[in-house]
Amino acid sequence: MNLLKLMELSGTGLAAQRIKINAITENLANAETTRTAEGGPYRRKMVVFEEDPFKSDLRSSIEGQQDVPSGVKVSQTIRGKDDFRLVLNPGHPDADPNTGFVAMPNVNTMTEIADMIIARRAYDANVTAINNTKTLIIKALEIGK
Amino acid sequence: MSNSLIIDKTTHFLGTALNVNLKRQGVINTNIANIDTSGYQAKDVNFKKALDLAIEAEAPGKMLQTHPNHFKLTDPLKMSGGTNVTGAVDIDREMARLAENNIQYRTSVELLLRKMSMIRNTIIDGGR
């Protein structure tokens, strides 16, 4: 039961990293989007992670111990506050009529790719942890064979 | 602690060691899951210290169950003590700890298995 719980824990890590990768993919897809439902160019999405203690069972919520293992969850998705990229393109329909500059999304492709590699690495690390826990379970099953 | 010849001190000790390894696995998995959580501080279990505390908790003379033959249910993941904060999460360090913990766990299981095979040999050869 406990080892399975540990796999569940690493699973929350996988889910969180997947949400991060989804947000990055969305940013890359919308790197040139100048029209959104909220108006104005697209603002880059970022996810914020939060520690999520495993206190679902009654005993640990009564005892409230510090040592309980915890997973991770996405506490919120925020929009990047940095300024839009200004590109001179007077022919663009969304260009400023006076200056000719178009406000492009605040998505930096290089940053997004770097973030994606980091998220992937973290995802891989969680997969390694799951595989490791799995070998422990298989080894424990040999007791009493 | 049982005085039986088969389930003896060694078996108990190895069982406790497995529980401590399980607890450590939980701590390492927590660190890896929270690798991107801002402000999270990585933790580690001092194996020796945690094992000492766990054995002490099981020492005779302590009132842990109403009858000595009752099973005591301890949740290894909630054993307290022996945990210390080690600062920011370092993925390489966590991977090394994961491997170390895995080997320790396997070693304890292997010792248990050999203990069992010793008993089995005694039973089989004794009957010859």
Side-chain angles (χ1 to χ4, degrees):
Chain A
M1 179 61 201
N2 281 314
L3 277 164
L4 295 178
K5 211 168 195 179
L6 292 188
M7 285 177 88
E8 199 185 308
L9 189 161
S10 293
T12 64
L14 291 181
Q17 297 302 336
R18 184 182 289 280
I19 292 170
K20 185 176 177 182
I21 291 174
N22 283 347
I24 294 169
T25 316
E26 211 175 306
N27 289 346
L28 285 171
N30 286 294
E32 304 277 322
T33 307
T34 51
R35 292 172 192 178
T36 55
E38 304 92 58
Y42 177 86
R43 278 189 183 275
R44 77 181 282 237
K45 264 188 185 173
M46 287 183 286
V47 291
V48 179
F49 293 143
E50 190 189 330
E51 201 182 344
D52 183 21
F54 268 30
K55 280 187 177 169
S56 48
D57 57 323
L58 184 66
R59 194 176 147 193
S60 52
S61 44
I62 292 170
E63 290 170 358
Q65 285 191 1
Q66 295 289 308
D67 278 357
V68 286
S70 49
V72 66
K73 66 175 180 197
V74 174
S75 64
Q76 56 175 336
T77 310
I78 52 169
R79 295 286 187 161
K81 291 275 188 289
D82 11 353
D83 294 335
F84 292 123
R85 231 169 351 117
L86 291 177
V87 177
L88 186 62
N89 186 1
H92 196 283
D94 292 325
D96 189 302
N98 303 319
T99 59
F101 278 104
V102 188
M104 299 298 270
N106 54 359
V107 178
N108 183 337
T109 317
M110 289 302 149
T111 316
E112 299 300 331
I113 300 284
D115 278 354
M116 189 179 255
I117 293 169
I118 294 169
R120 221 208 96 145
R121 283 281 174 93
Y123 190 91
D124 286 352
N126 279 297
V127 172
T128 308
I130 287 182
N131 281 332
N132 208 303
T133 312
K134 208 164 72 186
T135 63
L136 291 192
I137 295 173
I138 291 165
K139 191 69 190 169
L141 284 175
E142 284 179 27
I143 304 174
K145 215 180 191 177
Chain B
M1 213 170 278
S2 170
N3 293 321
S4 152
L5 277 172
I6 295 167
I7 310 292
D8 64 355
K9 254 184 183 173
T10 316
T11 324
H12 262 287
F13 191 79
L14 286 170
T16 313
L18 286 179
N19 277 348
V20 174
N21 278 130
L22 184 55
K23 177 190 154 94
R24 191 166 185 224
Q25 181 82 8
V27 170
I28 298 167
N29 278 5
T30 305
N31 288 345
I32 294 173
N34 284 289
I35 191 164
D36 254 355
T37 309
S38 58
Y40 175 80
Q41 292 283 302
K43 294 174 203 79
D44 192 19
V45 174
N46 183 335
F47 185 80
K48 195 178 173 298
K49 204 173 157 192
L51 189 60
D52 280 347
L53 286 169
I55 289 167
E56 206 177 295
E58 286 178 7
K62 273 204 169 177
M63 190 68 176
L64 291 164
Q65 59 258 80
T66 48
H67 190 276
N69 286 349
H70 285 171
F71 285 112
K72 184 164 69 74
L73 286 174
T74 43
D75 189 341
L77 296 183
K78 295 190 194 89
M79 288 191 305
S80 54
T83 315
N84 47 306
V85 174
T86 55
V89 185
D90 178 347
I91 190 64
D92 301 314
R93 213 166 48 183
E94 296 306 330
M95 286 297 148
R97 282 176 187 158
L98 207 58
E100 186 192 8
N101 197 51
N102 196 306
I103 291 166
Q104 279 183 345
Y105 190 93
R106 284 160 163 271
T107 309
S108 299
V109 173
E110 201 58 48
L111 286 171
L112 261 177
L113 289 176
R114 291 192 189 188
K115 170 97 189 152
M116 305 259 181
S117 82
M118 261 168 67
I119 296 163
R120 194 180 298 122
N121 282 343
T122 315
I123 294 167
I124 294 168
D125 290 342
R128 271 191 192 149

